[in-house]
Amino acid sequence: MLGVTKNVSEQEGYPASAKGKVFRLTVKQTDKEYNIQASADETVLTAIERAGIVAPSRCRSGECGWCRSKLISGEVFMPAENEYRRWADKQHGYIHPCCSFPLSDIVLEVPGSYVK
């Protein structure tokens, strides 16, 4: 499956209270910190890229794990069809920004960019 879920607010388990909201996203990357906005109906990766931040990505569907990032605080929704995280990543707070949708303000530690 290449690509992320469309119309996330229609997915099972998506909280109706998040629909249409905009949240603050703090991106920590190496020695830099960015404060941007992220809409609940866009992926965290889309918000990061829209702000001009270069972040690792490949499949854009959660399968490859290339974008794996540490969720320091906040909450995201990940559609079941895009949930490919390893068990250990789930236990230790790692997400795949390419298929995670913000449900609150977020602080995220993103790896530096890689050559694609």
Coordinates of all heavy atoms in Angstrom, one line a residue, residues 2 6 23 27 29 35-36 44 52 56 60 64 70 75 78 83 95 113:
L2 N 0.9 2.0 -1.0 CA 1.7 3.2 -1.1 C 0.8 4.4 -0.8 O -0.2 4.6 -1.5 CB 2.4 3.3 -2.4 CG 3.6 4.3 -2.5 CD1 4.6 4.0 -1.4 CD2 4.2 4.2 -3.9
K6 N -6.7 8.4 3.1 CA -7.4 9.7 2.8 C -8.6 9.8 3.7 O -9.1 8.9 4.2 CB -7.8 9.6 1.3 CG -6.7 9.3 0.3 CD -5.7 10.4 0.2 CE -4.7 10.1 -0.9 NZ -3.3 10.2 -0.5
F23 N -3.0 22.3 15.5 CA -2.2 22.1 16.7 C -0.8 22.7 16.6 O -0.4 22.9 15.4 CB -2.2 20.7 17.1 CG -3.5 20.0 17.3 CD1 -4.0 19.2 16.4 CD2 -4.2 20.3 18.5 CE1 -5.3 18.6 16.6 CE2 -5.4 19.7 18.7 CZ -6.0 18.9 17.8
V27 N 9.2 20.6 16.5 CA 10.1 19.7 15.9 C 11.5 19.9 16.3 O 12.1 21.0 16.1 CB 10.0 19.8 14.3 CG1 10.9 18.7 13.7 CG2 8.6 19.6 13.8
Q29 N 15.3 18.7 15.9 CA 16.1 18.0 14.9 C 17.5 18.4 15.0 O 17.9 19.5 14.8 CB 15.6 18.3 13.5 CG 16.2 17.4 12.4 CD 15.7 17.8 11.0 OE1 15.6 18.9 10.6 NE2 15.2 16.7 10.3
N35 N 9.0 25.5 15.6 CA 7.6 25.6 16.1 C 6.7 25.9 14.9 O 6.8 27.0 14.3 CB 7.5 26.6 17.2 CG 8.3 26.2 18.4 OD1 7.9 25.2 19.0 ND2 9.3 26.9 18.7
I36 N 5.9 25.0 14.5 CA 5.0 25.1 13.4 C 3.6 24.7 13.7 O 3.3 24.3 14.9 CB 5.5 24.3 12.2 CG1 5.5 22.8 12.5 CG2 6.9 24.7 11.8 CD1 5.8 21.9 11.4
V44 N 1.6 14.4 10.1 CA 2.7 15.2 10.8 C 3.8 15.5 9.8 O 4.3 16.6 9.7 CB 3.2 14.4 12.0 CG1 4.4 15.1 12.6 CG2 2.1 14.2 13.1
G52 N 9.0 23.6 5.4 CA 10.3 23.7 4.8 C 11.4 22.9 5.6 O 12.6 23.1 5.3
P56 N 13.4 12.8 7.0 CA 13.5 11.5 6.3 C 12.1 11.0 5.9 O 11.2 11.0 6.7 CB 14.2 10.6 7.2 CG 14.1 11.2 8.5 CD 14.0 12.6 8.4
R60 N 5.8 6.8 2.6 CA 4.7 7.6 3.0 C 3.4 6.8 3.3 O 2.3 7.3 3.2 CB 4.4 8.6 1.9 CG 5.6 9.5 1.5 CD 5.3 10.6 0.5 NE 4.8 11.7 1.2 CZ 5.5 12.7 1.8 NH1 6.8 12.5 1.9 NH2 5.0 13.7 2.3
C64 N 7.9 1.3 5.7 CA 9.3 1.2 5.7 C 10.0 1.6 7.0 O 11.1 1.1 7.4 CB 9.9 1.9 4.5 SG 10.0 3.7 4.7
K70 N 10.7 10.0 17.5 CA 10.3 9.9 18.9 C 9.3 11.0 19.2 O 9.5 12.2 19.1 CB 11.6 10.1 19.8 CG 11.3 10.1 21.2 CD 11.0 8.7 21.7 CE 11.0 8.7 23.3 NZ 10.5 7.5 23.8
E75 N -0.3 13.6 21.3 CA -1.1 12.4 20.9 C -1.3 12.5 19.4 O -1.6 13.5 18.9 CB -2.4 12.4 21.6 CG -3.2 11.1 21.4 CD -4.5 11.1 22.2 OE1 -4.8 12.0 22.9 OE2 -5.3 10.2 21.9
M78 N -3.1 7.1 14.3 CA -2.5 6.3 13.2 C -3.6 5.3 12.7 O -4.0 4.5 13.4 CB -1.3 5.6 13.6 CG -0.4 5.1 12.5 SD 1.1 4.4 13.1 CE 1.9 5.8 13.8
E83 N -0.6 1.1 10.3 CA 0.1 0.7 11.6 C 1.1 -0.4 11.3 O 0.7 -1.6 11.4 CB -0.9 0.4 12.7 CG -0.3 0.0 14.0 CD 0.6 1.0 14.6 OE1 1.8 1.1 14.3 OE2 0.1 1.8 15.4
I95 N 6.8 7.0 16.5 CA 5.8 7.0 15.5 C 6.4 7.1 14.1 O 7.6 7.4 14.0 CB 4.8 8.2 15.8 CG1 5.5 9.6 15.5 CG2 4.2 8.1 17.1 CD1 4.6 10.8 15.4
S113 N 18.1 14.8 8.2 CA 17.7 14.4 6.8 C 18.8 13.4 6.3 O 19.9 13.4 6.7 CB 17.6 15.5 5.9 OG 18.8 16.2 5.7

